Amino acid sequence: MEQRWDEFAANIRSGDSEQVTETIDEIEELDLDERVQLFETCFDELTSIYAQSDDGYVRQATARVAERLTPGIALVFAVAESDRSVEADVDTIRQQTDEIGGFLLEALTDEDGRVRQSAKRGLKDVFRTYDSLEDEETIEAFAVELDEMATEYSDKRRKHLLEAKEDAEFFLQSGFGRLLEGFQNEFGDSLEK
């Protein structure tokens, strides 16, 4: 996995969208256990690449890769079903989700709007993972943190932070509330005619 990560890191550092997309596609194709192992191998270096880069494309690439590394619903279900092909446990899923969530919160204040948009999309996957873990408390904490962070900005960052807060609040609704809101978002305009 280390050698594979070295290739991925080179693609990320390049900032080239084709190379980054190829890396993301390869990560998507990994089985669940390989993704958990990749996180353990690369996450510290991924955040280091973000912190050291002046290139917005490179920082955006790190946010996009972090989104792919989010454990996600499939891994939660695999662990819940005691899938023997997955060595991870709930604590590992939670720890990885916490770390990715913290990183994406930071990226959501990036000066580059593309980075913020990628971080916002990634946070939705973080919220989905917590939701599948039935961890409303952490989602609520994210919503509060995002609201507090938004007060520190008056530019587009504020808007993106508040949009991410709305995403978190969506996952705090009941299943029926989510269904209703999703239906309204999808068909609302056509229903008003």
Side-chain angles (χ1 to χ4, degrees), residues 75-76 79-80 87-97 133:
L75 186 56
V76 172
V79 169
E87 292 184 27
D89 57 17
V90 171
D91 291 337
T92 300
I93 293 170
R94 189 175 307 280
Q95 175 256 329
Q96 289 185 357
T97 307
L133 289 168

Side-chain angles (χ1 to χ4, degrees), residues 141-160:
F142 266 94
V144 169
E145 180 69 19
L146 287 159
D147 193 48
E148 289 175 7
M149 290 170 68
T151 64
E152 298 174 25
Y153 298 95
S154 59
D155 57 7
K156 291 256 188 190
R157 286 179 273 202
R158 176 179 173 77
K159 175 183 178 256
H160 292 142

Side-chain angles (χ1 to χ4, degrees), residues 59-192:
R59 294 193 313 276
Q60 180 188 24
T62 63
R64 291 177 64 204
V65 169
E67 177 185 0
R68 284 298 145 237
L69 291 174
T70 303
I73 297 169
L75 186 56
V76 172
F77 285 128
V79 169
E81 296 296 319
S82 301
D83 183 338
R84 297 195 189 279
S85 69
V86 178
E87 292 184 27
D89 57 17
V90 171
D91 291 337
T92 300
I93 293 170
R94 189 175 307 280
Q95 175 256 329
Q96 289 185 357
T97 307
D98 290 348
E99 288 186 44
I100 292 169
F103 167 67
L104 292 172
L105 271 181
E106 179 182 338
L108 202 51
T109 63
D110 194 279
E111 61 192 31
D112 190 313
R114 295 167 301 202
V115 178
R116 292 192 306 271
Q117 289 292 352
S118 293
K120 194 169 64 146
R121 279 190 301 274
L123 277 172
K124 280 186 183 180
D125 284 339
V126 167
F127 301 148
R128 279 187 197 96
T129 303
Y130 285 125
D131 184 53
S132 61
L133 289 168
E134 298 179 358
D135 186 353
E136 285 187 11
E137 189 175 304
T138 301
I139 299 171
E140 287 174 9
F142 266 94
V144 169
E145 180 69 19
L146 287 159
D147 193 48
E148 289 175 7
M149 290 170 68
T151 64
E152 298 174 25
Y153 298 95
S154 59
D155 57 7
K156 291 256 188 190
R157 286 179 273 202
R158 176 179 173 77
K159 175 183 178 256
H160 292 142
L161 287 160
L162 291 174
E163 287 172 350
K165 176 189 170 218
E166 289 174 13
D167 292 338
E169 290 171 339
F170 174 79
F171 286 96
L172 294 172
Q173 296 177 26
S174 69
F176 180 73
R178 282 189 229 170
L179 180 65
L180 189 59
E181 184 175 323
F183 185 80
Q184 182 66 27
N185 289 341
E186 182 73 26
F187 301 106
D189 291 342
S190 64
L191 295 174
E192 294 173 7

